[in-house]
Amino acid sequence: MMKNYIPELSEQRMVSHAPDWPVDFGTDRDYIYSTLRAVEQRFGLEGFPGFAQEQIPARALIKQLIVWWRTLEPANEMQQRAYGRLPGAIRLIDTFSTWLIEHAGKEHRD
């Protein structure tokens, strides 16, 4: 079951700040992609059909995770566990995106 959803400004900003290309999330990679897989498996969804995880643009990934966080309604404990990981994965992508922006800004100043 999915709820209706109107994006909040903060969510729109997170999406717009994320790179529109695939990125290597470093040590956070496993948590982010295992969360994606858990939600897909537990809810019977396919977020990025035909794409390997390393092909998914960060912007599309964070957008999909936010939409799932705001629209999915867990019906059992297994779904609740997968659903409960979404905020952490979203925050990791947002933090990484912010770091990329700040790092790019420092390179231009140096």
Side-chain angles (χ1 to χ4, degrees):
M1 174 102 186
M2 295 182 86
K3 303 177 264 187
N4 289 328
Y5 166 60
I6 298 173
E8 294 180 4
L9 182 57
S10 62
E11 295 165 344
Q12 292 174 344
R13 285 183 177 148
M14 283 190 271
V15 171
S16 69
H17 287 142
D20 201 18
W21 59 85
V23 298
D24 180 355
F25 294 109
T27 58
D28 297 324
R29 171 187 327 105
D30 291 340
Y31 187 84
I32 291 167
Y33 291 116
S34 66
T35 298
L36 172 68
R37 286 189 306 275
V39 172
E40 288 177 325
Q41 291 169 356
R42 301 296 184 238
F43 286 89
L45 301 169
E46 192 171 9
F48 301 94
F51 282 84
Q53 68 184 30
E54 61 275 357
Q55 296 175 313
I56 303 169
R59 184 173 297 167
L61 180 58
I62 195 170
K63 182 177 182 179
Q64 182 62 72
L65 297 181
I66 290 169
V67 167
W68 284 344
W69 171 248
R70 300 273 282 150
T71 62
L72 291 175
E73 293 187 24
N76 58 50
E77 186 178 335
M78 297 298 280
Q79 287 182 347
Q80 183 60 46
R81 284 188 200 154
Y83 178 82
R85 294 179 60 183
L86 285 168
I90 292 165
R91 181 55 56 205
L92 288 171
I93 296 168
D94 184 49
T95 300
F96 189 83
S97 299
T98 300
W99 179 85
L100 285 175
I101 291 167
E102 291 174 357
H103 185 70
K106 287 179 184 177
E107 285 182 356
H108 293 294
R109 288 192 300 259
D110 291 342

